[in-house]
Every structure is written in C-alpha cells, then in structure tokens.
Amino acid sequence: MDPDHAKLSTAETALGLRLPDRRLLRIALTDPGWCNEVETPVWVDPWPGNRVLAVRGEVALANCGLEPLSVRARRAEALGLWDCLWLAEGQRSLKGAGRETVLARALTAVIGALALAKERGELTDDVDQQALIARLEAADRLT
C-alpha cells in the first residue's frame, strides 16, 4: 500500500471524514517545512504546504467563534493527527510551543479544506462538518 494512502486513511479515520478530493486533506496535513525539503523537478509544481488552507480555516472559525490555538492543538493531539502529518526532518521531535503550532495549523487547515470543498460544491450538506465537530468535541473529553 502507498504510504501516502495509508497516512491519509488514518487521518480520515481520526477525523471522521472523507473529502471527495483527497488532495485537499493531503495539503492540509503538509507542513510548509516538509515542502522546503522535497526536491521536485522544474517541470513539476511543488507540493503546497498548509498555510493557505489554514488561513481559510481561520476565516471559517472566525465566523463561528475563533478558539485559541492551544485548544486546536490539544484536539489535534487527542485525535492522533501528529502521526498523520508530513513534516520536515527533525520536526517529529518537536515539543512544547513548536509542536502546538504545527498541530493547530494542521487542524485549522483541515477545517479550511472542508470549507473549500463545500464552496466547490463537493459537499452537498453539513454531514461532514457535523462529523468533524462531533470528533472535536469527543477529543475535548479525552484531554
């Protein structure tokens, strides 16, 4: 099995959602540091990091009451997202605020990916959003 496929499947299970375009989830889980380390041929577009989707997620969260980064990081940790991220060499050993920032940005980017999929008409109702909210509330009970 392709390792990317396995990692995405694990993330989908942890989040309780499956986006029609899995590339959005892949981008949401890709830290910009990983992108800086991957060499791609000139004719291939580089794989984007999750910053743009994280901004879109911030906008979506602002519309329903923005929560602190530490809360998002704690939820992402409880869901087990750390092992699903594409990180730069050395980032796996991050502790403290550095790890919190990476986790919070990834979860925010997932929310941004969900908002983008909905805007693109790939999600016809709020079922996936409700599933993610339920998972996040469950994660709160785990922490």
Side-chain angles (χ1 to χ4, degrees):
M1 176 184 279
D2 174 20
D4 285 3
H5 178 77
K7 199 181 274 195
L8 286 172
S9 295
T10 301
E12 288 169 339
T13 300
L15 293 164
L17 66 89
R18 183 174 173 96
L19 294 171
D21 184 352
R22 291 181 99 196
R23 292 175 299 177
L24 287 177
L25 183 58
R26 172 66 165 80
I27 292 168
L29 299 175
T30 301
D31 188 79
W34 181 89
C35 299
N36 294 334
E37 290 184 353
V38 175
E39 290 187 31
T40 56
V42 175
W43 61 88
V44 175
D45 286 335
W47 195 259
N50 61 10
R51 283 191 179 124
V52 172
L53 284 177
V55 169
R56 186 175 286 270
E58 293 281 351
V59 171
L61 287 170
N63 291 334
C64 61
L66 194 62
E67 58 192 5
L69 286 176
S70 60
V71 171
R72 283 180 259 165
R74 192 174 61 244
R75 287 175 167 179
E77 187 83 62
L79 291 171
L81 283 187
W82 185 253
D83 294 329
C84 301
L85 300 178
W86 278 264
L87 299 170
E89 196 70 33
Q91 280 186 300
R92 287 268 168 227
S93 61
L94 278 175
K95 302 279 188 252
R99 184 177 174 114
E100 275 190 2
T101 300
V102 170
L103 280 165
R105 182 176 48 235
L107 184 56
T108 306
V110 167
I111 293 166
L114 197 58
L116 180 58
K118 189 169 182 174
E119 287 171 22
R120 289 168 35 176
E122 296 171 1
L123 303 176
T124 55
D125 54 32
D126 290 336
V127 173
D128 287 317
Q129 287 178 313
Q130 290 169 356
L132 179 58
I133 290 167
R135 289 281 184 169
L136 294 176
E137 289 171 351
D140 279 344
R141 291 190 291 276
L142 294 174
T143 58

